[in-house]
Amino acid sequence: MKLCTIIGARPQFIKTAAVSRAIAEHNRVKTQSSNITEIIIHTGQHYDDEMSAIFFRELEIPEPKHNLNIGSGAHGKQTGEMLAAIEKVLIKENPNWVLVYGDTNSTLSGALAAAKLHIPIAHIEAGLRSYNRLMPEEINRVVADHISHLLLCPSQVAVNNLSAEGISKGVKIVGDVMADALQFAVRHIQTKADIKKKFQLQNKTYLLATIHRAENTDNKKRLQNIISALNALEETIILPIHPRTRKILHDMNLLLKPHVRIIDPVGYFDMIALEYSARMILTDSGGIQKEAYWLKVPCITLRDETEWVETVENGWNKLTGANTIAIIDAVHNFMPPAEQATLYGDGQAASRVLQEILNYTERK
Ligand code: UD1
Ligand code: UDP
């Protein structure tokens, strides 16, 4: 079976790593007849070394056969150029399946290109909703879900969201491939992460922050509020900065005080090591909210809503929006409960993804 994986943004490389590892394992133990050939198509949405190549190197992701080098741009231009370029490749490769992840513009264009060519689509991380259509990601995930054949969900909440939109066919709970990725990283951070030594960080003596979401970076008031909160705190804050945010802070001349240590984006092992030892995480990232939960690090989410509602319901994640006072208050007072429920699967999602694709193929 030939499967084309379409990816382009940082979190998708991390998720792909888990699935590609499962494919290699599947091919090692299974008979030749169910062999899976994975062809990776990299749209080029992310292209800086520390946003892309570092993940392929560190996580030993198979080299993309096609790198479309689309790069940055306005949503319509970026998505349109990806669509045209992916279509050409899919016609050439003629795969049995297309695999897309999450909710980026690479997800949308990959799914659209496949749908127009009548190639079955498996969507990993299906069913997530923020119910905020102003987010580009919400549009991407709604469209991808509605044109996918297999909707591979991390949780029952995701299944319920799809059901509310009339989608039940092809919906499967497989867990979250990010849990697989995290478990792999945790096994390797002792030998592969040296960031704490590099920055001389002691356990639980610093906060870790990330900011990149358009609703924060492209809204002057929200970004100012978040920066004011970070500046008002007295602890060391490590801020691996997304290139989008670096550029906007520079353009707006927004300055951070010296206790906020801005560093370049880091590789996955270093990031997990930073998260693991942080006293608390402040983020607007989707993936980092879950990693904080799994690593049992209290998380403050700099958004008004989240797709990962279970982390909030379980008391380990606090939504503060971009409200300066609420952020400062949460850093001082937020305290998760002692107990924690298991969320988003057991770290075996990637092999279930493959099983669901093979089951579907056999039934057809
Ligand atoms: C994208 C996704 C977002 C995801 C994030 C993961 C969409 C609509 N958004 O947001 O859901 O959470 O990736 O990190 O798909 N840039 C560089 N170098 C790079 C990549 C980006 O300098 O390697 C800069 C460019 O100025 C670019 C900006 O970052 O315009 C935004 O990049 P883009 O990929 O459009 O969106 P992200 O904010 O990364
Ligand atoms: N990440 C990383 N280095 C960084 C910042 C994030 O490896 O400097 C990892 C993080 O651990 C998580 C993923 O990237 O696994 C999240 O990506 P991002 O926040 O860019 O996107 P989102 O999850 O919000 O779509």
Side-chain angles (χ1 to χ4, degrees):
M1 190 193 50
K2 191 184 206 181
L3 184 136
C4 279
T5 295
I6 300 174
I7 49 178
R10 171 167 65 188
Q12 296 170 329
F13 308 138
I14 293 161
K15 294 166 198 174
T16 297
V19 175
S20 294
R21 259 193 307 277
I23 292 176
E25 180 58 16
H26 169 89
N27 287 344
R28 197 178 63 77
V29 298
K30 288 284 162 21
T31 58
Q32 198 56 33
S33 62
S34 68
N35 198 65
I36 300 173
T37 304
E38 185 188 30
I39 308 270
I40 296 183
I41 303 172
H42 187 331
T43 62
Q45 178 170 350
H46 286 176
Y47 44 85
D48 290 345
D49 186 84
E50 63 269 25
M51 294 297 289
S52 173
I54 190 172
F55 299 99
F56 285 83
R57 281 197 304 275
E58 276 194 341
L59 300 173
E60 297 173 17
I61 304 167
E63 192 66 26
K65 182 170 173 192
H66 304 275
N67 198 328
L68 309 179
N69 291 314
I70 301 299
S72 307
H75 287 279
K77 180 174 180 289
Q78 186 185 50
T79 309
E81 286 178 5
M82 286 182 198
L83 177 62
I86 293 168
E87 183 177 62
K88 272 193 200 147
V89 173
L90 290 182
I91 289 171
K92 200 159 116 199
E93 292 289 354
N94 192 25
N96 303 94
W97 280 90
V98 157
L99 191 57
V100 292
Y101 292 82
D103 53 23
T104 71
N105 289 347
S106 297
T107 316
L108 174 65
S109 47
L112 263 183
K116 299 270 184 187
L117 294 168
H118 307 145
I119 301 167
I121 304 159
H123 183 203
I124 293 187
E125 232 175 61
L128 273 295
R129 295 290 181 269
S130 64
Y131 295 102
N132 175 0
R133 291 256 171 136
L134 295 177
M135 290 177 71
E137 292 88 353
E138 185 77 353
I139 310 292
N140 294 345
R141 52 173 92 100
V142 168
V143 176
D145 281 341
H146 280 258
I147 57 179
S148 288
H149 300 72
L150 254 182
L151 296 105
L152 303 163
C153 299
S155 65
Q156 185 60 44
V157 169
V159 173
N160 298 346
N161 290 339
L162 291 172
S163 167
E165 291 171 24
I167 305 177
S168 58
K169 198 161 161 261
V171 175
K172 306 283 174 189
I173 298 189
V174 292
D176 193 328
V177 295
M178 284 197 89
D180 306 26
L182 180 72
Q183 290 182 14
F184 179 82
V186 166
R187 287 199 295 277
H188 290 85
I189 51 174
Q190 289 287 12
T191 52
K192 300 208 172 189
D194 60 359
I195 190 118
K196 278 167 58 198
K197 210 192 280 165
K198 184 171 167 195
F199 290 107
Q200 296 182 326
L201 297 168
Q202 304 301 321
N203 256 354
K204 307 293 167 187
T205 59
Y206 63 91
L207 307 173
L208 176 68
T210 77
I211 313 159
H212 79 276
R213 210 154 280 283
E215 73 204 60
N216 285 330
T217 56
D218 294 3
N219 180 319
K220 200 172 170 186
K221 188 78 199 121
R222 287 183 71 97
L223 190 58
Q224 270 170 342
N225 285 350
I226 292 170
I227 299 305
S228 298
L230 299 187
N231 277 337
L233 294 165
E234 276 151 15
E235 288 172 78
T236 298
I237 303 173
I238 305 295
L239 177 64
I241 198 155
H242 190 291
R244 165 187 211 115
T245 314
R246 187 190 286 281
K247 189 170 178 300
I248 293 170
L249 289 180
H250 177 265
D251 291 350
M252 285 173 64
N253 201 23
L254 274 177
L255 298 176
L256 283 149
K257 292 193 176 164
H259 68 278
V260 185
R261 294 172 67 178
I262 298 182
I263 62 174
D264 285 337
V266 297
Y268 185 56
F269 294 116
D270 276 343
M271 189 63 186
I272 297 306
L274 283 175
E275 292 177 14
Y276 185 74
S277 295
R279 183 179 81 73
M280 219 176 231
I281 294 175
L282 293 88
T283 192
D284 58 11
S285 159
I288 294 171
Q289 291 175 59
K290 290 176 291 172
E291 289 166 350
Y293 187 87
W294 290 318
L295 294 170
K296 297 196 169 66
V297 180
C299 183
I300 295 170
T301 294
L302 309 167
R303 293 182 48 200
D304 299 326
E305 71 279 307
T306 178
E307 302 75 26
W308 305 103
V309 288
E310 301 92 333
T311 59
V312 176
E313 285 161 8
N314 279 280
W316 280 79
N317 187 3
K318 172 125 188 117
L319 294 176
T320 58
N323 180 315
T324 309
I325 307 279
I327 297 168
I328 296 169
D329 181 64
V331 168
H332 291 144
N333 299 316
F334 178 50
M335 179 87 82
E339 297 299 310
Q340 201 190 60
T342 302
L343 290 182
Y344 314 125
D346 55 3
Q348 299 297 317
S351 61
R352 277 191 215 102
V353 163
L354 301 185
Q355 208 45 61
E356 291 300 347
I357 292 175
L358 290 167
N359 290 348
Y360 192 104
T361 308
E362 276 161 22
R363 271 202 315 274
K364 265 181 73 186

